[in-house]
Amino acid sequence: MTQHFNHIIVGAGLSGIDAAYHLNKAFPDSSYAVLEMRHALGGTWDLFRYPGVRSDSDMYTLGFRWKAWTGTKAIADGADIRAYLEEAAAENGIDEHILFHHKLLRADFDSNAARWRLTVQRTDTDETVELTCDFLMSTSGYYRYDEGFTPEFEGRDDFAGQIVHPQHWPEDLDYAGKRVVVIGSGATAVTLIPALANSGAGHVTMLQRTPTYIISQPETDPVAKKMLTTLPQRMASKMVRGRYLAMHIGFYEFCRKRPKEARFLLRKLLERQLPDDIKFDDHFQPPYDPWDQRLCLVPRGDLFKALRKHTVDVVTDHIDRFTEKGILLKSGQELEADIIVTATGLNLIAFGGAELAVDGETVNLPDTMAFKGMMLSGIPNFAFIVGYTNASWTLKADLVCQYVVRMLQHMRDTGQSVVVPRKDPSVGEEPFLDFAAGYVLRAVEQFPKQGSQEPWKLKMNYFRDRKVFAESVQHPALEYSNPPKHRASVAG
Ligand SMILES: Cc1cc2nc3c(=O)[nH]c(=O)nc-3n(C[C@H](O)[C@H](O)[C@H](O)COP(=O)(O)OP(=O)(O)OC[C@H]3O[C@@H](n4cnc5c(N)ncnc54)[C@H](O)[C@@H]3O)c2cc1C
């Protein structure tokens, strides 16, 4: 028998738990399920297990508004974030609604019945299950879980040592006393490198093609700590959250509006942490402006401490090929290694690879346009969460959840069963993610588009988005309806 739910959420990561909380709180009498293809909740924070894995945005805004992060560490370890998410799900009974080992393959909206028919694969038994729902939310993250991104390196098979991708870190990897070369300069590389050096690796080399902007931040914020330990909890959490929002979004806006001054400031902050033999211009000056790509954060300047101790060094060069002993660089230098870590990024994927269809017709995602970065033109009763790349993901997730709740309340109150955004043909098309990082550029063509103006344009600014998401759900771009056959079909 096909099981029916009012709401189905796809993915039990941070966004899925947030969506489940909001929908269940607003509609306690509605049925819901969270489909999760893996065996555990937490998404990113359960998958990534490399040494040192941590957030690189503060937990006061990465944590949920409805469950304050009370730790005094603003930057938290992966394990602590995982525990926080498990606790949030358990405290609200969300864990009981998660269908583990359920992978959404295809969702087909039946306009007559005003409901989704989902084809779901049981990843433990390989069985196919069919489910139906009235409203579908995709919270399946933005990258492939089965495979991280590794460029083709010539001679890969010649290398006598071990090659590891941080997304698939072997639990028993023994790197004690070994020479490790980490390829990459992004958030994962700058997290992993000092963690390896501080936990027994013989020597770690950071091998980068292009430098990234890096900024140090104290792990614990004394002002936040004082607020959290002296003020009533609700007030303290609100104030600390406000403080981080203002600091981060203010700094982002400063970087975008005054790139020259931002470059100068970032240089001054970083230069004084480098040892004399490592030159800023050689290794830490990116060729682009701050926040053209994600800015990396290092807590306590741990990467620079390791550089000063010479347990870590940095090489900026291009890879010619892998050799038996390590990596031959275009400059002719050979880096010898026992282990090579390819911190070369993610493979982006939309909606966890699930196919969407309306009345049997498969949707070509690039033909659709994202309404407020949360629904797709022409796709009824569907919303998704893709968070900010320049601020905590959760901030956007909360805005989307609140808007979805208001939309569904409006439908309930007016007796409508379908909502669909309709594209305005006069709005120009732009790429969905306006972000120059390699992993984005590699995949953006497979994603829906965004528009050239609001409400089709994503702003990547929480304060502006707050206003955009506070608008009425009776938006001219949203079409509400009630198909004539709907009631009969629901009854049947
Ligand atoms: C290493 C790393 C560090 C990061 N650090 C930060 C940070 O500090 N701050 C920040 O704001 N963001 C950070 N991000 C972005 C991060 O992904 C978000 O913070 C957040 O965890 C995303 O939550 P999510 O629930 O939307 O997606 P995910 O965490 O990716 O969870 C998606 C879930 O959906 C499931 N799923 C996917 N496809 C399907 C399917 N077809 N059927 C069923 N289930 C499916 C997955 O198994 C997973 O459990 C980081 C990302 C990475 C990779």
Side-chain angles (χ1 to χ4, degrees):
M1 240 180 67
T2 302
Q3 207 179 349
H4 180 77
F5 296 92
N6 295 117
H7 309 135
I8 287 188
I9 297 161
V10 187
L14 187 153
S15 307
I17 294 166
D18 203 20
Y21 174 84
H22 282 273
L23 287 174
N24 187 44
K25 193 155 174 39
F27 306 100
D29 298 329
S30 297
S31 56
Y32 79 94
V34 183
L35 308 186
E36 172 50 58
M37 64 180 179
R38 301 177 68 241
H39 60 285
L41 62 78
T44 299
W45 304 106
D46 184 66
L47 178 74
F48 279 83
R49 300 288 181 128
Y50 58 78
V53 58
R54 57 164 170 80
S55 66
D56 64 355
S57 53
D58 69 276
M59 284 309 297
Y60 303 114
T61 54
L62 188 62
F64 302 119
R65 249 186 25 189
W66 44 272
K67 179 174 167 62
W69 175 262
T70 50
T72 48
K73 264 188 183 176
I75 303 297
D77 301 337
D80 290 344
I81 304 176
R82 195 162 61 240
Y84 167 84
L85 293 175
E86 279 165 2
E87 198 176 276
E91 279 172 1
N92 294 283
I94 296 166
D95 49 352
E96 290 162 21
H97 291 258
I98 302 176
L99 303 178
F100 288 106
H101 298 290
H102 280 60
K103 178 177 182 175
L104 178 67
L105 299 180
R106 182 177 165 92
D108 194 343
F109 188 75
D110 176 346
S111 299
N112 282 326
R115 58 167 61 173
W116 286 96
R117 187 166 291 280
L118 310 186
T119 310
V120 175
Q121 181 198 7
R122 290 284 313 239
T123 51
D124 48 351
T125 60
D126 230 18
E127 243 178 298
T128 303
V129 182
E130 226 178 56
L131 302 172
T132 56
C133 68
D134 302 324
F135 196 89
L136 180 65
M137 261 192 99
S138 175
T139 56
S140 43
Y142 63 114
Y143 61 87
R144 271 177 65 167
Y145 268 65
D146 57 342
E147 201 183 18
F149 175 72
T150 312
E152 285 293 315
F153 292 118
E154 209 189 313
R156 191 186 159 101
D157 293 338
D158 299 342
F159 179 55
Q162 202 170 348
I163 302 174
V164 174
H165 193 287
Q167 192 169 325
H168 313 282
W169 195 267
E171 210 180 318
D172 56 354
L173 183 71
D174 178 15
Y175 53 84
K178 302 217 168 126
R179 295 162 305 173
V180 186
V181 174
V182 179
I183 304 172
S185 60
T188 300
V190 303
T191 303
L192 184 57
I193 289 164
L196 289 172
N198 294 335
S199 60
H203 185 79
V204 188
T205 303
M206 172 173 171
L207 171 59
Q208 58 175 3
R209 192 172 53 183
T210 316
T212 303
Y213 284 105
I214 303 179
I215 189 165
S216 289
Q217 182 179 303
E219 193 171 45
T220 309
D221 170 3
V223 179
K225 193 171 173 182
K226 180 115 192 149
M227 287 177 180
L228 288 165
T229 47
T230 54
L231 297 173
Q233 202 215 324
R234 261 179 88 101
M235 186 199 283
S237 302
K238 217 170 155 185
M239 286 175 69
V240 173
R241 210 178 142 83
R243 169 179 160 78
Y244 274 87
L245 278 173
M247 282 192 318
H248 288 310
I249 296 171
F251 184 64
Y252 173 79
E253 289 297 318
F254 163 70
C255 289
R256 300 314 286 162
K257 288 191 182 129
R258 306 193 154 222
K260 217 171 121 201
E261 286 86 343
R263 270 172 180 258
F264 179 77
L265 176 68
L266 288 166
R267 179 189 187 107
K268 286 291 149 210
L269 289 173
L270 199 147
E271 234 170 9
R272 61 182 183 209
Q273 300 184 69
L274 291 176
D276 291 343
D277 57 335
I278 297 183
K279 298 286 170 248
F280 179 89
D281 285 326
D282 294 343
H283 301 293
F284 290 100
Q285 178 61 70
Y288 51 82
D289 283 334
W291 277 116
D292 278 352
Q293 297 190 24
R294 203 176 170 114
L295 194 135
C296 286
L297 197 130
V298 296
R300 309 175 307 273
D302 58 4
L303 174 68
F304 306 111
K305 273 187 203 148
L307 285 169
R308 292 198 296 272
K309 276 204 261 170
H310 295 286
T311 49
V312 166
D313 66 349
V314 53
V315 173
T316 306
D317 207 324
H318 286 241
I319 294 173
D320 184 42
R321 55 173 292 125
F322 282 20
T323 62
E324 191 190 339
K325 290 187 189 155
I327 300 175
L328 181 65
L329 302 172
K330 288 259 158 72
S331 63
Q333 185 189 356
E334 187 171 10
L335 293 177
E336 293 194 1
D338 304 304
I339 299 172
I340 295 175
V341 179
T342 53
T344 41
L346 306 163
N347 278 312
L348 296 204
I349 193 166
F351 313 132
E355 213 171 56
L356 297 179
V358 178
D359 297 323
E361 201 164 312
T362 303
V363 172
N364 180 34
L365 292 178
D367 293 343
T368 63
M369 189 178 274
F371 169 78
K372 292 184 194 274
M374 59 162 280
M375 291 174 88
L376 294 181
S377 59
I379 316 275
N381 293 10
F382 175 75
F384 63 92
I385 294 177
V386 173
Y388 293 121
T389 43
N390 62 347
S392 284
W393 188 272
T394 322
L395 296 170
K396 177 74 179 286
D398 275 341
L399 293 177
V400 172
C401 291
Q402 285 158 6
Y403 199 84
V404 167
V405 162
R406 287 200 294 128
M407 220 165 47
L408 293 174
Q409 282 167 339
H410 172 71
M411 289 163 77
R412 180 196 56 197
D413 297 346
T414 56
Q416 314 272 5
S417 54
V418 178
V419 56
V420 59
R422 292 289 177 207
K423 191 157 75 173
D424 173 350
S426 69
V427 176
E429 287 185 350
E430 292 185 5
F432 182 71
L433 293 165
D434 181 17
F435 205 51
Y439 68 94
V440 172
L441 298 176
R442 276 196 301 275
V444 76
E445 288 303 315
Q446 300 153 29
F447 275 69
K449 297 281 189 300
Q450 67 166 321
S452 52
Q453 64 199 59
E454 281 171 6
W456 304 96
K457 182 146 180 89
L458 309 170
K459 278 289 185 261
M460 287 293 162
N461 179 322
Y462 175 67
F463 291 121
R464 283 194 65 161
D465 277 355
R466 262 205 323 206
K467 290 192 190 130
V468 172
F469 278 82
E471 284 170 1
S472 168
V473 292
Q474 287 169 274
H475 196 284
L478 291 180
E479 185 184 288
Y480 293 93
S481 64
N482 203 6
K485 286 193 193 160
H486 171 238
R487 305 235 169 262
S489 158
V490 169

